[in-house]
Amino acid sequence: MAFATLFNKKVGCPSSQDLLDHGRACLASAHSLRIEVHLAYCDFCNAELQLLNRHQNTQDEYSFAEMPSQLRGLAERLLHGGATPFQTLSGFEENRRT
């Protein structure tokens, strides 16, 4: 009985970041050589590297928006178990009106 090989990342596969760094020639030669050898037999990592190279956009800069204080308070109360979602939401509505 023949078993089909699963097309997925395995424990020994390099990380996505390592694949990107390899493609950009940002790795030490020994580490890059290990990835080259791996790519010679791993179809999944080859496909992942092609996808990463095709869709990478190094020009974009990202910034994170500050969470509104009322929403942050709601999330903290829910996470710390200080109130049920309905109690917290009713308090949120009361705070919004004031």
Side-chain angles (χ1 to χ4, degrees):
M1 179 174 178
F3 292 96
T5 303
L6 296 176
F7 187 70
N8 61 357
K9 199 163 192 103
K10 304 201 178 32
V11 174
C13 290
S15 70
S16 298
Q17 187 62 54
D18 280 350
L19 289 172
L20 274 174
D21 290 345
H22 170 72
R24 294 180 190 149
C26 297
L27 296 175
S29 60
H31 193 62
S32 188
L33 181 60
R34 281 194 299 274
I35 291 176
E36 277 297 320
V37 168
H38 180 82
L39 289 171
Y41 67 85
C42 184
D43 291 336
F44 184 86
C45 286
N46 272 296
E48 182 182 13
L49 181 58
Q50 288 178 31
L51 181 71
L52 290 169
N53 285 333
R54 182 169 295 174
H55 295 287
Q56 73 178 348
N57 188 353
T58 58
Q59 301 302 317
D60 288 344
E61 289 188 27
Y62 300 98
S63 63
F64 295 97
E66 187 67 32
M67 181 183 287
S69 61
Q70 291 174 327
L71 183 57
R72 183 178 190 82
L74 170 65
E76 287 175 352
R77 286 190 296 276
L78 287 172
L79 288 172
H80 296 297
T84 66
F86 296 112
Q87 290 171 332
T88 307
L89 286 174
S90 65
F92 178 74
E93 285 299 318
E94 290 170 12
N95 287 339
R96 255 184 59 185
R97 289 186 214 135
T98 59

